[in-house]
Amino acid sequence: MQLTDTQQAIRDVARRFAEQEIAPHAADWDRTGETPRAIYCKMAEAGLMGVTVSPDYGGAGADFLSYVLAIEEVSAADGGVSNMMAATNSPVAVAIEENGTDQQKQDYLTKLTSGEWLGSIHLTEPHTGSDAAAINTRAVRDGEDFILTGEKAFITGGASSNVAMIAAVTDPEGGKKGITTFITPTDNPGYMVTRKENKLGHRTNDTCQIRFDDMRVPASDVLGRPGEGLRIALSKISEGRIGVAAQAVGGARAALKAARAYADERETFGKPLRNHQAISFKLSEMATEIEAARQLFMHAAQLKDLCQPCAREAAMAKLFASEMAERVASEAIQIHGGAGFLNDHPVEKIYRDVRVYQIYEGTSEVQKIVISRFLDEMDL
């Protein structure tokens, strides 16, 4: 696929930023579990915190393909930072721009695109995973406000974000049409971080359990119209899956880069590892899988930009890319031998970071269900 000059420029800006501002510090941030908040302000200065948002609100006004190309570059430097970038860009900022009132856009968008604020989406609950419609969080009308009660789980940026996009049931008898989305600051009394998760990977962002303890939210914080919450929350599901595919490609690319460098430096039986056919073949297969995954997510992103259906292509991209990333990261460790099992080398961290891509934004099993629904329509 040929990129436009603008798409190449955004990708190149993201790559330079990731290599200069994130990659040199990622291992330290991973060990401490702390990422400086200033990094997101710097990302915003580079145009990465509102890639598709209109310039009227401080965004770059670029297309979706440019956004996922930028996600790939940031993910190649660190998965956790790319995840905070993704949550803030889409769904939060994009959902506000597409569904918000003029006041909501003024209140939130400029702060998000400037990096001053970060966003989080609150959909998953402790008893739900892929079944988004089964949420229990309730929002009960009380005069000009709603009172929110319930719990959310696995919330990226639950503690560090400033604005939360929350799905809650407003009409228990309404089924999928009884869910409403709210957009509200996280300093709202009643917003409680009950647990910060200790994770295998993505340690550079916080993942939390959140409780809404009779949290009072003004009716003006309803995003869109009451009853449209599930539609709003899930309307970006294909875009989210394409973004995860891009993250997976970024992580896999970093693993391949590290493995190639090690294979050039390490000598066995009188020659560099890379000169052994067994290793060169591994590297060749890794490179091929990465490129295949990249083409899948780029194709899906292009369909999205053309306003064409892309649910099947997004599911295929996420399924293949996420499972590919674990295979490539595993092979990278194998090429390193025992050294790859130590955190002295980046492949250990990369392996931990890429594992989650098969889980969030719909598990691999869910992607297979989605793809299976299109089998009869495919020209085989």
Side-chain angles (χ1 to χ4, degrees), residues 279-293:
I279 302 302
S280 66
F281 278 14
K282 280 184 185 292
L283 294 169
S284 298
E285 290 167 357
M286 293 157 70
T288 301
E289 288 203 77
I290 290 169
E291 187 57 33

Side-chain angles (χ1 to χ4, degrees), residues 54-303:
S54 168
D56 293 341
Y57 303 106
D63 61 9
F64 183 72
L65 178 54
S66 297
Y67 164 64
V68 289
L69 289 170
I71 282 285
E72 177 191 335
E73 299 302 329
V74 174
S75 181
D78 183 77
V81 173
S82 77
N83 217 24
M84 284 303 303
M85 172 189 170
T88 299
N89 270 271
S90 179
V92 178
V94 172
I96 294 172
E97 184 173 30
E98 292 184 354
N99 301 281
T101 63
D102 289 341
Q103 190 63 52
Q104 288 172 332
K105 294 175 186 179
Q106 293 173 16
D107 289 345
Y108 299 123
L109 277 182
T110 301
K111 291 180 179 179
L112 290 169
T113 59
S114 70
E116 178 185 354
W117 279 16
L118 298 174
S120 56
I121 178 167
H122 298 243
L123 182 60
T124 303
E125 298 186 355
H127 70 288
T128 67
S130 301
D131 188 4
I135 62 173
N136 284 334
T137 296
R138 294 288 187 265
V140 178
R141 191 67 185 252
D142 183 30
E144 295 301 311
D145 300 330
F146 283 87
I147 307 297
L148 270 65
T149 305
E151 291 185 293
K152 299 293 183 179
F154 305 114
I155 305 304
T156 297
S160 59
S161 61
N162 306 89
V163 59
M165 179 177 161
I166 305 167
V169 176
T170 49
D171 178 7
E173 306 301 320
K176 293 182 179 180
K177 294 184 179 180
I179 296 173
T180 299
T181 294
F182 298 84
I183 191 80
T184 194
T186 58
D187 62 1
N188 195 324
Y191 182 98
M192 303 180 65
V193 178
T194 56
R195 176 184 171 91
K196 285 188 179 181
E197 306 293 357
N198 186 12
K199 300 174 293 181
L200 173 71
H202 284 221
R203 295 177 180 174
T204 52
N205 70 31
D206 59 283
T207 301
C208 302
Q209 290 187 17
I210 305 296
R211 184 170 75 243
F212 309 123
D213 191 7
D214 292 334
M215 185 173 77
R216 184 172 292 272
V217 176
S220 59
D221 280 355
V222 170
L223 186 62
R225 291 180 294 184
E228 293 186 332
L230 197 61
R231 178 193 65 78
I232 292 171
L234 298 184
S235 65
K236 299 303 172 188
I237 195 70
S238 289
E239 289 93 321
R241 289 169 179 171
I242 299 168
V244 174
Q247 286 182 300
V249 169
R253 199 183 83 204
L256 173 60
K257 182 178 179 180
R260 185 183 62 187
Y262 187 81
D264 282 337
E265 297 168 2
R266 178 83 162 92
E267 289 192 1
T268 62
F269 304 103
K271 58 183 178 181
L273 272 179
R274 192 173 176 181
N275 290 350
H276 292 282
Q277 188 180 73
I279 302 302
S280 66
F281 278 14
K282 280 184 185 292
L283 294 169
S284 298
E285 290 167 357
M286 293 157 70
T288 301
E289 288 203 77
I290 290 169
E291 187 57 33
R294 180 181 289 113
Q295 293 302 318
L296 278 170
F297 88 67
M298 289 174 64
H299 173 59
Q302 186 179 57
L303 289 177

